[in-house]
Structure formats: C-alpha cells, structure tokens
Amino acid sequence: MSSFRKALKSRQRNHHERSQPGFRRTMGLLEKKKDYKLRADDYHKKQNTLAALRKKALEKNPDEFYFKMISSKLEDGVHVLKKTEEEVTEEQKKVMRTQDMRYVEMKRVAEAKKIERLKGELHLLDAENKQKNKHTFFVDSKKEVETFNLASHLGTDPKLVDRVYNRPTLQTLETKSIKGAVKPNIIKKLAKQRKHQYKILSQRIDREKKMFVISQKIQSRKDLHDKNKKVKVKKETPDRAAIYKFESKRKR
C-alpha cells in the first residue's frame, strides 16, 4: 500500500502560482487572489465606516448635550479629558491608607496643644506675618501735624519707637534700673532664638491644619457607607473634604 501511495505522489504535479510576465517585471510582484481579498476587505470596511459616519452626521441632534463636552478638549484631533485639580495629595493618601482616624485626631490635638503653649510663650508681638496695628494720634492744627514728634509724644527714647512691646518711658529709664539683656550681641542672639520659635510655630500650625483635613476626609469616606440618599454639594480639594447633603430620615 505504501509503495502505491509513493507512486501516486511521484505522479502529482506541484502547483506554482503564475508569476509576473517578463515585460511587466518593472511593475513588481503579480497580485494574487489572497492579496486582492485583503485589499478588497479593507476598502469595503473603510467605505462602510464612512457611510456610518455620514448617516450619524445627518441624524445628529443640534441640541444634543452630554457632560463630557465640558470635561474634554481636542488635541491633534483626539478628545482628551481635561486635567482636574488633584483632590488628594500623595501625603494625605499615605496617611489615610496607613493610619486610623483616632490616631490622626490624637496627633492633631497634640499639635493644637503645642501651638497654644508656644503662643502663650511668644505672645505673637513681633511675628513676621502678623498684621501691624495702627495707632492714630489726633492734634488740633496743621502746624502741630508738621512739627509732630512721635518719640517726644510717647515720652520715650527715639531708638525704642519702632518697638511694639517693652517700650519704657524716659522717666522709667531714669528712675529704675534695666532688667534683662542689655548687650547688643545678647539681644541679637535672643532675637534669633525668637525668630526660630516663630518658624517652629508656623510649621506646627500647618501640620495641625493638614491633620484636620485628613481626619475630615477619612470621616467623609466613612459617612459614604450610609445607605441614605446623598448629594455632593462641594467637591473635594487638597485643603477641604467633600461636602455631602444627606436625605433626612425619621428614625423609629
């Protein structure tokens, strides 16, 4: 049987595709049926797509609106979503994933107590960011305005006029002895220390604010598990948790 098959196989002729004739060799390879099929399918696919788009354009409603129209823009002919402001910073995400709300609230209260203690020590009399107070003096005539001398009016030394605290009068300076630092280098050192303390206070205030925002965001995410209907009133921002309005429900 095997010899018979071999005999039949030897008689079979191998099929060869017709090649490009010699006088048309400059035009490249001769297109076969499978090549034509691929080209025809691609052509018809494009024609069907164009027909569908043409139909969609004819049936388009001029008053059509959907919200993605205002949240996206065209870039090189492609619709791209507009970049929105980051609602949660990376630091907030890290704390919210790893820490519990009780821990965050405990740290915030500890920071608030330290802030109160520092405020009690410093009194915020010469803080850099503190709004400067105004002191208005009233006189009887324009001549007095021109000849007005602040140091003589306050009865203090001209060098002490710019101070907002510890500004003794000339009489006090003459009758009583000065207590505290007198040497310029010591005064300068104390001023530097006070400035450093104000910097620490500012950092603690910022940290306390961040902790407060994180605790609010954790609480808002817990409140979202409530089954009552809710509507978002304000979006979440890096400095504020999202605000929701819940449907009032009578408790039995």
Side-chain angles (χ1 to χ4, degrees):
M1 187 71 181
S2 59
S3 59
F4 180 70
R5 283 180 181 174
K6 285 179 183 178
L8 283 175
K9 195 173 182 181
S10 61
R11 289 181 184 179
Q12 285 177 353
R13 188 183 292 179
N14 291 329
H15 177 73
H16 296 286
E17 286 280 353
R18 185 168 70 87
S19 62
Q20 188 77 280
F23 66 92
R24 290 172 56 89
R25 195 161 291 172
T26 54
M27 298 181 180
L29 294 171
L30 182 68
E31 186 183 42
K32 307 297 187 292
K33 185 176 180 179
K34 61 179 182 179
D35 301 324
Y36 163 76
K37 191 78 172 67
L38 289 171
R39 186 165 58 83
D41 289 344
D42 182 60
Y43 172 77
H44 288 301
K45 186 180 177 182
K46 289 175 180 176
Q47 289 297 315
N48 292 337
T49 305
L50 287 171
L53 289 171
R54 201 174 288 112
K55 185 181 178 182
K56 192 175 181 181
L58 288 169
E59 295 176 353
K60 184 183 176 183
N61 180 8
D63 298 325
E64 183 182 1
F65 173 79
Y66 54 95
F67 284 99
K68 215 166 188 179
M69 287 179 175
I70 56 176
S71 62
S72 63
K73 59 181 179 179
L74 274 176
E75 284 186 7
D76 299 327
V78 180
H79 283 278
V80 181
L81 286 174
K82 291 179 182 176
K83 291 181 181 179
T84 54
E85 187 182 352
E86 192 178 7
E87 295 177 351
V88 185
T89 61
E90 288 299 322
E91 184 183 356
Q92 289 174 354
K93 284 179 184 176
K94 187 178 178 182
V95 175
M96 288 164 70
R97 279 196 300 265
T98 57
Q99 307 298 344
D100 187 36
M101 186 179 170
R102 289 180 184 177
Y103 173 79
V104 174
E105 193 62 25
M106 183 190 74
K107 295 292 287 181
R108 188 190 71 79
V109 172
E111 286 293 337
K113 287 180 179 178
K114 288 176 183 176
I115 288 165
E116 289 300 320
R117 198 181 302 122
L118 274 171
K119 281 182 178 179
E121 292 173 5
L122 297 170
H123 303 293
L124 300 175
L125 292 171
D126 55 349
E128 290 180 0
N129 298 327
K130 186 177 180 292
Q131 188 177 359
K132 292 185 178 180
N133 296 328
K134 292 181 179 180
H135 193 158
T136 307
F137 296 96
F138 295 93
V139 292
D140 297 327
S141 61
K142 289 183 179 180
K143 189 176 181 181
E144 288 182 25
V145 174
E146 293 171 2
T147 58
F148 184 78
N149 189 348
L150 185 59
S152 61
H153 187 82
L154 295 172
T156 187
D157 190 85
K159 293 178 182 177
L160 305 175
V161 169
D162 294 332
R163 284 192 180 184
V164 293
Y165 67 100
N166 193 16
R167 189 171 57 196
T169 61
L170 291 171
Q171 186 180 358
T172 306
L173 291 170
E174 289 171 1
T175 55
K176 296 182 180 180
S177 59
I178 299 171
K179 296 178 181 179
V182 180
K183 295 180 180 179
N185 59 338
I186 297 173
I187 293 170
K188 193 175 181 181
K189 186 180 178 181
L190 290 171
K192 192 175 180 180
Q193 289 176 357
R194 194 160 52 247
K195 189 177 179 182
H196 179 65
Q197 289 291 96
Y198 279 123
K199 189 178 179 181
I200 291 171
L201 176 61
S202 176
Q203 289 173 353
R204 289 196 180 280
I205 290 169
D206 290 340
R207 201 176 299 129
E208 192 269 336
K209 285 180 181 177
K210 286 178 182 177
M211 288 289 179
F212 177 75
V213 172
I214 289 169
S215 66
Q216 290 289 311
K217 288 185 177 182
I218 294 171
Q219 184 61 48
S220 67
R221 277 161 175 71
K222 283 186 176 180
D223 293 339
L224 287 175
H225 294 297
D226 193 351
K227 292 181 180 179
N228 290 353
K229 290 182 180 179
K230 48 197 160 291
V231 179
K232 187 185 278 188
V233 180
K234 287 186 179 179
K235 289 184 179 179
E236 192 176 69
T237 64
D239 303 323
R240 185 191 66 208
I243 299 173
Y244 293 89
K245 187 177 180 181
F246 288 82
E247 184 185 22
S248 57
K249 195 174 182 180
R250 186 181 176 184
K251 293 182 179 180
R252 293 183 182 180

